[in-house]
Every structure is written in C-alpha cells, then in structure tokens.
C-alpha cells in the first residue's frame, strides 16, 4: 500500500486514542480532603436553596470545561485537509498539530494535579480555562503551521492544568450520597463530546463561516471559555490539600523528560523509519524514570512534598489499578487507530461517514457508564469491571467475524451491533475504574494520584500506537499495489482482524489483573453510613463528616 496514505491517517487515530484516557479522568470519583474554611459557619453559610442552586451552576461550569477539552481533541481531525491546504502545512506539522496536544497534556497532568493541591483547585481551574481560551484564540488566528503547532502545545499544557481540578471541584461541592448521580451525568457528557466533536468539526469546516475555513473549530472556544472564566470565579468553591506542600520542580522536569523521551519516538517513529536515536531515546527514558524514582524518595525524606507519592504503590488496589490503566490504554491505543485506518483507507469511507459509524459506540459508552457508577458498582463492585472486560472482548470477536464475513461490502449499520456491545463493555470499565483504583488512596494525595493515573493511561495509548506497527502495518505492508482496490481492502481487513485478536488477548490479561482491585470500592461500602451520619453531625465542604459543633459553610469563595 502507499506509505503516504498510512501516514495521512495517523493523526486521526492518535487523537481518537486520547478519548478513553480523558474518559478515565472525567468519570472517576476521586476522594478529596480539603483544608477547612476559617470563616464562622453562621456568618458564611448561605441559605439551603441558594447553596443548592450555586453548586449546580458550579457543576455546569466544570462540565462545560470538560466537554470543551474533549471536543477540542476530536474536532481537529476532520479539518486536517483544510488546514493542510490553507496553511501549506507539511506532514510533520500536521502530525504535531494533533499529537502535540496529547503530548503536552500527558506531560503536565501530574504537575497540574499537584498544583491544585498546593495553590487551590479553583485557582488552577481558572488559570487553566483562561490559558486554554487564549491558546484557542492563537490557534484560530495562526498565521503559519509553526504558530499553530506551538499554540496546540500551549492548549494541551493548559488542559493539563484545568482537567485534574474538575473532579476535585465536584467532590468539594457535592456530598458523597449525591456523587453517583453527578458522575453518571459526567459519563453522558463525555460520551456526547466523543460523538459531537468530529460532527461539529465537519459542519464548521463545511460551512466555511465568514470565509474562515477551519479556524472556527478553535474560535468557538472563545465565548465558552470567557463565560466559564467569569462564572467560575463567582460560583466555584476553593479547596486545597490540608497540609502545606511544595512544588517539586526537579520532579516535574524529570517526569516530563522521561515521558517525552518515551512518547515522542513512539509518536514519530514510523514516519521517520524507526531511527536508531528513537530506540536509544526510549531506552534512555527508563534511566530517567529510575532517576525520578530515586529523587522522589529523597524528596519524601527531605520535606515530604514529592511530586508523586511513591507510598501509593504500597496500596495493592492502586498498584493493580495502575497496571489495569496502562494495559487498557494499550488496548485503546491499538483499536482506535486501526479502526480509523480500516474504515477510511481500507474501505474508502469519508471521515464524516466513519465518524457517524462510531455514534452507536459512543452512545453505548454513555449509557453503560451511567448505569455502572449509579447502579451496578455499588451493588456488585469489581465484578462489573471484569464483566466489562469480557463484554468488550465479546464485541471485538463479533467485529472480527463480521469483518471477515462481509469484507468490502460491510455497511455502517452492520457494524452497529459489535460497536454497541463494545461500547457497553467500555462503559462498564471506564466510569468506575478510577473510583476503584483510588478508593484506598489517602485523601491528601488524591490530586497527585489522579494525575498519575491519567498519565499512565496516556502512556498506555502511546505504547498501543507504537505496537500498531507490529500488529497492523506488518500485515498491511504485504499488500501489493498492482492488486488494486480489492487487494487493498482485503489486506486492510486482514490487518484489522489481526490487530483485534491482539486486543482480545490483552483484555484477557486485564481481566486477571482486575482481581487486584478491591471487591467493592471503599466509598460505596461507606456511603450509607455517611449519608445517615450527615443528618446528625453535618458535613465538610468535601462531603466528609464533620462534628456537629464544628460545621463549615457549604460554600466559600
């Protein structure tokens, strides 16, 4: 097959593979311990109806920001040809317009979570949304490819400041017994973002508003971001870690360097022919990771403010959950890329047709995510996640059969059944996974742990994308150009099926590793007790119990 075709569609797969990792963070329920307010409760507490109204407005604000972040990742894909024509962007620049965002996001997540713990989650959220809005404007008015790439890197970095604060703000605002409903709503919003991003991008590009071609896909963030910044200052409450922490600058540099040394060669390797320096860079990342671990141990002994709390890995559920997150990221990294290549190159579908084909999948994820958090996990615990892994594997096996059965004549409606089954399986996993992983983590380290979990998911995606060269392109490269369109379709179908078999095998491993997760997340086991005692003793801002004589205001600013 033509190398040019395979490269032109790498970008779309890279961004699609990001969706599940964002979903991990958006639909989890991180336990947060907050510094108590020093204002007298009697003087500061608003009346109950006002407090209730304000917290739902705060929820709408952070959900809108989360939606904006997710849409901004997926909306770019459909506009890539327009960007290439309008700016005269090279393939390398196009690669970085998409991959640069994910790299900056992954590298900054841990730092963003820790900064929220130290300086306040509301403050970091506002900084993040302001920076994200500014970066969107720079993207929309970019005069050349270099400016667009730099603006996308800034956008990813600002998203890393904004996204980790979202769940912390939710935990500060809502008591424990209401969070199931809130996170079910989050699942629906994230699913909607995954569906609407490509469709919105196609419409905005096709409409060519004011002759701006692709630029409205970024400029649409400006009114949303400005409104979020203004309303967020008024309605979001502030919280931070209960003990004073310091930013670990050396740790930030080491972890960022290690991640870039690992992810950059994986992202660019195939385009550049897997050069020797790329392999050396990836091998060197192991040494940098080791130096990071050694320094974090030293930092813990010195002042107790490391970037990553290594003691977290002594918690069985957290260590096992990190392994699940990593391997699940690999699964998603492989699937979303090969699925995109199969539809758009192998079957010759347009990007819009491929995007519409994925709608049943996203809707199924949203439905299952809401059910798993609100209904299933509180009752069945870990078994729900394991059932999700088996369901996802079953959908993949059905997809393998259909791809072979229908070949080049397969239609989008015929893909609906396996995609719905897969979506249900994914929804059962992604929504409660972080909840289960963090259920036994000390609350004061929740911000750092959340950033670490999502960063590991990003690393898994990158590893999966790198493995595509082995599980997919090794088959595609055997296609003979003289065979014409039929040979290309058959070759891509074989490569797609081969890749899905690898994904099924990894899901089997995930099913086994899930036994390390707690049988029932701690917060679900304690939810009834929390709700009962809240009536008698009151609650803190984070929903944790507070003595009756030491109640804090429901909202502070």
């Amino acid at each position: 097959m033509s190398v040019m075709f395979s490269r032109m569609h790498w970008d779309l797969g890279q961004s699609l593979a990001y969706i599940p990792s964002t979903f991990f963070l958006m639909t989890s329920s991180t336990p947060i311990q907050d510094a108590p307010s020093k204002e007298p409760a009697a003087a500061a507490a608003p009346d109950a109806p006002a407090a209730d109204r304000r917290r739902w407005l705060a929820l709408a604000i952070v959900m809108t920001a989360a939606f904006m972040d997710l849409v901004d990742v997926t909306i770019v894909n459909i506009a890539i040809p327009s960007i290439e024509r309008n700016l005269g962007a090279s393939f390398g620049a196009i690669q970085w317009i998409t991959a640069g965002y994910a790299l900056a996001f992954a590298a900054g997540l841990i730092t963003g979570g820790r900064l929220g713990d130290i300086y306040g989650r509301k403050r970091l959220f506002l900084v993040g949304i302001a920076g994200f809005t500014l970066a969107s404007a720079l993207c929309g008015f970019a005069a050349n490819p270099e400016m667009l790439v730099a603006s996308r890197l800034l956008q990813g970095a600002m998203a890393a400041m904004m996204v980790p604060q979202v769940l912390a703000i939710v935990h500060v605002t809502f008591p424990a017994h209401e969070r199931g409903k809130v996170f079910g709503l989050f699942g629906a919003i994230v699913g909607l973002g995954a569906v609407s991003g490509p469709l919105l991008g196609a419409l905005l590009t096709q409409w060519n508003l004011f002759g701006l071609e692709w630029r409205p896909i970024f400029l649409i963030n400006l009114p949303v971001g400005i409104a979020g910044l203004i309303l967020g200052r008024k309605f979001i409450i502030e919280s931070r870690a209960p003990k004073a922490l310091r930013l670990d600058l050396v740790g930030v540099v080491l972890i960022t360097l290690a991640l870039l040394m690992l992810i950059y060669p994986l992202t660019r390797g195939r385009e550049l022919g897997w050069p020797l320096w790329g392999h050396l860079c990836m091998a060197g990342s192991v040494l940098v990771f080791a130096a990071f671990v050694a320094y974090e141990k030293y930092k813990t002994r010195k002042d107790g403010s490391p970037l990553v709390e290594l003691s977290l890995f002594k918690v069985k559920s957290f260590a096992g959950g990190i392994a699940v997150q990593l391997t699940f990221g690999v699964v998603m990294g492989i699937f979303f890329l090969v699925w995109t290549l199969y539809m758009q190159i192998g079957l010759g579908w347009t990007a819009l047709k491929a995007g519409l084909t994925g709608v049943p999948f996203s809707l199924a994820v949203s439905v299952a995510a809401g059910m798993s958090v609100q209904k299933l996990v509180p009752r069945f615990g870990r078994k729900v996640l394991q059932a999700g892994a088996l369901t996802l594997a079953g959908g993949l096996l059905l997809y393998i059969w259909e791809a072979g059965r229908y070949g080049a004549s397969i239609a989008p409606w015929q893909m609906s059944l396996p995609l719905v089954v897969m979506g249900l399986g994914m929804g059962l996993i992604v929504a409660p996974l972080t909840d289960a992983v963090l259920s036994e983590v000390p609350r004061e380290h929740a911000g750092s742990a959340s950033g670490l979990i999502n960063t590991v998911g990003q690393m898994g995606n990158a590893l999966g994308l790198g493995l595509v060269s082995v599980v997919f392109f090794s088959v595609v490269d055997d296609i003979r150009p003289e065979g014409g369109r039929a040979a290309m379709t058959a070759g891509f179908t074989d490569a797609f099926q081969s890749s899905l078999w690898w994904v099924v095998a990894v899901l089997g491993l995930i099913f086994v590793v899930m036994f390390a997760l707690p049988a029932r997340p701690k917060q679900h086991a304690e939810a009834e007790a929390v709700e009962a005692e809240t009536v008698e003793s009151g609650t803190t801002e984070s929903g944790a119990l507070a003595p009756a004589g030491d109640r804090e205001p429901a909202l502070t600013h």
Side-chain angles (χ1 to χ4, degrees), residues 11 29 31 53 75 86 111 168-169 183 196 215 245 249 312 336 347 354 387 402 407 421 470 478-479 488 501 512 536:
D11 314 290
S29 49
R53 183 169 58 251
I75 200 173
N86 183 253
T111 305
I169 290 169
F183 289 115
S196 60
R215 298 179 188 274
L245 299 170
L249 291 176
L312 293 174
F336 279 101
L347 299 177
E402 284 201 354
V421 175
V470 177
D478 293 334
I479 299 175
M488 176 176 288
W501 279 114
V512 174
E536 299 179 2

Side-chain angles (χ1 to χ4, degrees), residues 9-23 70-78 80 98-99 102 152 193-195 197-199 329 331-344 351 354-355 358 361-362 426 458 461 465:
H9 290 270
W10 172 274
D11 314 290
L12 180 57
Q14 167 73 22
S15 293
L16 282 174
Y18 167 78
I19 294 174
S21 292
T22 303
F23 204 110
L70 179 58
V71 167
D72 206 75
V73 175
T74 58
I75 200 173
V76 175
N77 304 327
I78 202 98
I80 284 176
T98 52
R152 285 287 284 172
V195 174
L199 300 182
V331 164
M332 294 299 101
I334 293 175
F335 173 75
F336 279 101
L337 176 56
V338 302
W339 184 39
T340 300
L341 296 173
Y342 165 62
M343 289 189 293
Q344 294 197 33
F361 173 83
S362 297
M426 181 183 289
Q458 291 289 329
N461 276 322
L465 289 167

Side-chain angles (χ1 to χ4, degrees), residues 310-322 436-442 516 518:
L310 299 179
S311 61
L312 293 174
F313 290 93
K314 296 179 181 179
V315 180
K316 178 183 176 182
S317 60
F318 183 82
I322 285 290
V437 176
L438 294 177
S439 62
E440 298 175 358
V441 168

Side-chain angles (χ1 to χ4, degrees), residues 33 37 93 115 128 204 225 264 277 298 337 342 362 367 391 400 448-449 465:
Q33 178 69 43
S37 168
L115 286 172
L204 289 175
Y264 179 79
W277 67 261
Y298 163 76
L337 176 56
Y342 165 62
S362 297
V367 172
T391 302
I400 291 171
S448 178
L465 289 167

Side-chain angles (χ1 to χ4, degrees), residues 13-281:
Q14 167 73 22
S15 293
L16 282 174
Y18 167 78
I19 294 174
S21 292
T22 303
F23 204 110
F24 294 149
L25 192 58
M26 291 297 101
T27 55
S28 63
S29 49
T30 310
I32 301 293
Q33 178 69 43
D34 306 292
S37 168
K38 295 184 182 190
E39 300 177 26
D47 58 84
D52 186 72
R53 183 169 58 251
R54 293 166 78 91
R55 64 180 177 160
W56 286 105
L57 286 170
L59 176 65
I61 293 164
V62 297
M63 286 178 66
T64 300
F67 180 83
M68 182 172 64
D69 165 62
L70 179 58
V71 167
D72 206 75
V73 175
T74 58
I75 200 173
V76 175
N77 304 327
I78 202 98
I80 284 176
S82 179
I83 294 173
E84 185 181 20
R85 291 192 306 269
N86 183 253
L87 291 183
S90 66
F91 173 74
I94 293 295
Q95 174 83 9
W96 273 98
I97 289 168
T98 52
Y101 183 101
L103 284 172
F105 184 79
L109 275 171
I110 297 178
T111 305
R114 178 57 85 194
L115 286 172
D117 290 342
I118 297 172
Y119 297 109
R121 290 133 190 166
K122 172 182 175 180
R123 180 178 298 177
L124 261 292
F125 176 82
L126 294 178
V127 168
I129 198 171
F132 191 89
T133 305
L134 173 62
S136 297
L138 293 174
C139 288
F141 294 113
N144 52 57
E146 292 76 17
M147 181 177 176
L148 183 54
V149 169
S151 300
R152 285 287 284 172
L153 289 169
L154 176 62
Q155 218 180 15
M158 291 298 101
M161 297 295 105
M162 176 178 67
V163 170
Q165 321 309 327
V166 170
L167 290 173
I169 290 169
V170 170
H171 274 267
V172 171
T173 308
F174 288 87
H177 65 278
E178 290 187 348
R179 290 178 199 150
K181 177 171 61 178
V182 171
F183 289 115
L185 186 58
F186 257 120
I189 290 295
V190 172
L192 179 62
V195 174
S196 60
L199 300 182
L200 183 59
L203 291 174
L204 289 175
T205 303
Q206 183 175 333
W207 287 340
N208 190 21
L209 299 174
F210 308 107
L212 294 174
E213 298 188 3
W214 53 271
R215 298 179 188 274
I217 68 172
F218 296 111
L219 298 178
I220 195 174
N221 290 334
L222 270 61
V224 178
I226 292 171
L229 185 63
I230 295 172
L231 296 175
R233 288 191 61 189
K234 183 175 182 180
F235 295 109
I236 296 176
I237 64 177
E238 185 60 283
S239 66
R240 55 177 56 86
K243 67 176 182 177
L245 299 170
R246 297 178 182 178
L247 181 61
D248 178 8
L249 291 176
V250 175
V252 170
V253 172
L254 287 175
I255 193 64
T256 302
L257 178 62
L259 288 170
L260 290 176
M261 289 176 66
L262 175 64
I263 296 175
Y264 179 79
L266 284 171
T267 304
R268 298 294 307 280
R270 187 172 187 276
E271 178 196 359
L272 300 176
W274 296 109
L276 176 61
W277 67 261
H279 295 286
L280 294 176
C281 195

Side-chain angles (χ1 to χ4, degrees), residues 362-426:
S362 297
L363 293 177
V365 171
S366 298
V367 172
M371 290 179 57
S372 64
V373 171
Q374 297 183 63
K375 304 292 184 182
L376 300 178
V377 171
R379 183 174 180 182
F380 301 106
R382 180 181 63 206
K383 294 178 182 178
V384 175
L385 283 82
Q386 292 179 305
L390 295 179
T391 302
L392 182 53
L396 288 166
L397 292 173
L398 182 58
Y399 214 154
I400 291 171
W401 178 82
E402 284 201 354
R405 169 69 175 79
Y406 298 108
S409 63
I410 192 170
W413 69 266
Q414 292 169 320
M415 294 185 182
S416 296
L417 179 58
L419 286 173
V420 167
V421 175
M422 290 171 57
L424 293 174
M426 181 183 289

